[in-house]
Amino acid sequence: MTRRQAHGRRRTARRLLATSAGMATGLLVTGLLTGPAQGRSRADDGAGTPIGTVARTVGDARYEPGPCPKTPEPVEELEGARCGTLTVPENRAEPSSKTKPGSKTIQLGVAIVPAKAGTPKSDPIVWLAGGPGDDAVGEAKLAIGGGLNRDRDVILMSQRGTYSADPTALCPNIDEFNARAVGLVYDAPSTERLHVQATKACRDQLAGRGLDLSAYNDTESAADYEDLRATLGVKKWNLYGISYGTHLALVYMRLHPEGLRSVGLDGILPPSKAGSAATWSSLRQGIDSLFKACADQPACNTRYPNLAATFDKLVGDLEAKPVTTTVTLPGSDKPVKVVLDGGALVNWMTSATHVAPQVPAALDELANGKPQRIARQWAGGKLSPAAIGRVAHGLVYGVFCSEWTPYESQEQALEGGQQAFPSFPRSVQAQAPQLTFLRPDCDVWNVPAADPSIRDVTRGDIPTLALSGGFDSQTGADNGPYVARTLSKAKVVTVPYQPHVVFATSKCAQEIAVSFFETPDAPKTECLKGLAPPEFEIAP
């Protein structure tokens, strides 16, 4: 899911739920590489050929081996990958006949990283990226760095519209607005007008290039992956989804269960409850866990008592009287104007759990007239060169505006903020964290609502690992038990003291995930017993 700032290590996976005109973009670590075919995983076609080395057409889909997908920066983990392109219809709902060929096609980049094992298992792992709008190919470092290719090939495919797809649904103008917006009052009506203008300009640009914006959604993306499985000749495979990738995985499980051996969900976003109200609930859970961890440490509790009350008061005070400061960011001497109001502080806090040890000190500094630390973190990700032109905003709004806003009223969204943070000013409650101005954005995006079944819960007996972080303020830890209610073979694991997407930050989570794919009915969770809370920064 991703509206986020620069908050520390390995930011690739830690996308928030969305990336729209007022959101900070995700950072993808990517590169342009090609490599020879390696590894010995075989397609289930009797030919004994490694997966991804043979061209094949199944129905309307065709896989062609070829160069590895483009990426902004080199990705060492893609060296030696087997790569190619999947060609699929842009809109499978368009009828076709001999006189009317139907939907035009799109191309999706594919990279298959060979297993380290000499004799890989026959069921590879498919990495589903976050966002919406991130490109999985650029997340190879995260997937491989965590050991997922120990015994199995790892398959990374660009979701439709993302960086290495053709066509792309990128909109650098939105990213550039994000950078400028750090100097604006976050939730002011004037900011909303500019926000929606940027969204409409994005839509007009994509539609002008001929993209069918109604076709960039979970139903089509799930079908893309199922077509990839068929054209690669894979009988069964496994999924590992992070953040928004869990949303897509749950849709895939519901629509195409037959090819799935097991599914890992990390930073869980259930389609049946996704929306503005859920982001408020997740924020409440994550920061309450962080504040409790501070309160449980005598030094932190003594120096920073009543953090929840401090945070609530700051939100109200800043909303009434925003603070303007100037900061410099790493790699630049140019001063940057930053405005912090209540909404900006809420959205900073949503991703600040990624640097949990700093949060009490940062809030205390702000309360005592020193906003610079929070201002630098708030602005850092938005002004990073890596935040421009890498997120598929066409996929962002394709999902949100067809699958979320049609099934959540403005009143329900507001109620979510009122219930989670009753003391917040109404102007803050009206703009859900990560999803500011989403409804007017979707009004100008103007795509049809998805079939109501998109909100159905996913049911079945596919072995599933439901992983969450105790500090996750973007997709709350209670989403694990929620999805497990209707998945009879689900294992629910919460890794304490960890933020959104635990695979990115926790060796223990990586061990659990790798062991799950080995034995889905009994993942190894012993490492949880030795985990300790962070040592919070204590200022003099």
Side-chain angles (χ1 to χ4, degrees):
M1 259 197 87
T2 136
R3 227 171 237 181
R4 71 177 194 155
Q5 302 77 47
H7 287 305
R9 335 162 272 191
R10 301 182 72 178
R11 299 189 305 163
T12 302
R14 286 175 286 202
R15 296 292 308 282
L16 304 190
L17 301 185
T19 304
S20 74
M23 308 177 189
T25 61
L27 183 61
L28 304 180
V29 183
T30 49
L32 178 60
L33 292 167
T34 61
Q38 294 184 8
R40 286 173 281 180
S41 277
R42 308 297 185 184
D44 289 314
D45 57 7
T49 54
I51 295 170
T53 59
V54 175
R56 185 184 282 107
T57 299
V58 178
D60 292 330
R62 180 166 178 79
Y63 175 81
E64 290 272 3
C68 285
K70 66 176 183 178
T71 51
E73 297 96 19
V75 181
E76 182 180 348
E77 287 73 14
L78 293 179
E79 294 179 4
R82 304 186 297 273
C83 296
T85 303
L86 179 72
T87 301
V88 293
E90 183 183 41
N91 189 337
R92 294 173 175 84
E94 286 193 3
S96 62
S97 65
K98 289 182 179 180
T99 58
K100 182 182 178 183
S103 176
K104 68 177 185 292
T105 58
I106 60 176
Q107 289 75 47
L108 308 176
V110 179
I112 304 170
V113 179
K116 291 182 178 179
T119 305
K121 302 294 176 62
S122 63
D123 50 296
I125 297 171
V126 181
W127 179 269
L128 300 181
D134 283 350
D135 192 326
V137 179
E139 296 183 350
K141 180 177 179 63
L142 177 60
I144 304 308
L148 284 184
N149 70 325
R150 186 183 71 181
D151 299 309
R152 291 171 170 81
D153 290 352
V154 172
I155 300 175
L156 308 112
M157 182 173 76
S158 52
Q159 291 172 30
R160 49 181 50 212
T162 58
Y163 188 89
S164 62
D166 183 17
T168 64
L170 313 177
C171 284
N173 76 292
I174 284 182
D175 307 322
E176 291 159 359
F177 174 81
N178 288 339
R180 296 193 303 274
V182 300
L184 304 175
V185 176
Y186 186 81
D187 52 18
S190 56
T191 304
E192 177 179 350
R193 287 193 293 272
L194 294 171
H195 187 291
V196 176
Q197 286 176 15
T199 303
K200 186 176 187 303
C202 169
R203 188 199 192 283
D204 292 346
Q205 179 260 126
L206 297 180
R209 287 170 42 212
L211 275 72
D212 181 351
L213 298 180
S214 68
Y216 290 77
N217 56 53
D218 283 290
T219 301
E220 293 285 1
S221 289
D224 293 341
Y225 281 96
E226 187 63 2
D227 279 346
L228 179 65
R229 185 180 69 84
T231 57
L232 291 179
V234 175
K235 184 177 180 181
K236 292 274 187 180
W237 65 13
N238 309 275
L239 305 180
Y240 195 85
I242 62 168
S243 193
Y244 158 74
T246 67
H247 191 284
L248 176 56
L250 287 161
V251 172
Y252 188 177
M253 293 168 71
R254 184 171 57 81
L255 297 179
H256 307 285
E258 59 276 4
L260 296 177
R261 171 182 175 265
S262 69
V263 177
L265 306 173
D266 183 350
I268 303 167
L269 178 59
S272 52
K273 61 186 286 193
S276 296
T279 68
W280 283 116
S281 172
S282 294
L283 176 61
R284 180 84 272 173
Q285 293 175 64
I287 66 172
D288 280 355
S289 295
L290 190 158
F291 293 162
K292 182 180 185 302
C294 173
D296 288 344
Q297 293 182 20
C300 190
N301 189 49
T302 299
R303 180 64 180 82
Y304 308 114
N306 303 317
L307 274 177
T310 299
F311 175 63
D312 285 3
K313 184 176 187 304
L314 282 168
V315 170
D317 290 350
L318 289 174
E319 190 69 2
K321 188 176 181 180
V323 167
T324 300
T325 189
T326 301
V327 298
T328 56
L329 301 176
S332 174
D333 295 329
K334 182 180 179 181
V336 176
K337 173 188 172 184
V338 179
V339 177
L340 296 176
D341 66 346
L345 184 62
V346 165
N347 280 270
W348 167 82
M349 190 69 196
T350 302
S351 53
T353 50
H354 290 287
V355 286
Q358 297 184 41
V359 167
L363 290 173
D364 183 70
E365 289 170 1
L366 181 60
N368 286 281
K370 298 177 182 179
Q372 287 76 19
R373 185 197 313 230
I374 289 177
R376 280 193 299 270
Q377 293 180 347
W378 174 234
K382 298 183 179 185
L383 275 75
S384 166
I388 307 297
R390 303 193 184 187
V391 173
H393 297 277
L395 183 57
V396 172
Y397 287 119
V399 172
F400 291 170
C401 301
S402 69
E403 302 176 21
W404 292 18
T405 56
Y407 299 104
E408 180 182 56
S409 69
Q410 194 165 355
E411 292 71 24
Q412 289 171 322
L414 177 61
E415 185 178 348
Q418 293 170 334
Q419 289 181 349
F421 294 92
S423 69
F424 281 4
R426 185 182 175 90
S427 57
V428 175
Q429 294 170 338
Q431 303 300 337
Q434 313 172 69
L435 301 174
T436 310
F437 307 130
L438 179 60
R439 194 161 294 275
D441 280 341
C442 286
D443 287 343
V444 300
W445 203 255
N446 190 28
V447 291
D451 187 274
S453 62
I454 198 68
R455 305 289 292 190
D456 289 350
V457 298
T458 300
R459 303 177 183 276
D461 59 359
I462 297 169
T464 304
L465 175 65
L467 266 176
S468 301
F471 283 177
D472 189 346
S473 54
Q474 299 161 229
T475 57
D478 68 345
N479 286 333
Y482 173 84
V483 298
R485 296 177 313 156
T486 52
L487 297 170
S488 62
K489 294 183 180 179
K491 306 292 182 182
V492 178
V493 177
T494 298
V495 184
Y497 319 120
Q498 291 297 318
H500 185 54
V501 182
V502 292
F503 194 86
T505 57
S506 168
K507 287 291 184 185
C508 180
Q510 293 169 2
E511 292 173 11
I512 293 169
V514 172
S515 72
F516 166 75
F517 290 117
E518 184 63 28
T519 54
D521 59 334
K524 297 177 181 178
T525 59
E526 293 82 2
C527 60
L528 293 170
K529 298 176 183 177
L531 299 180
E535 291 188 16
F536 290 96
E537 176 185 328
I538 307 297

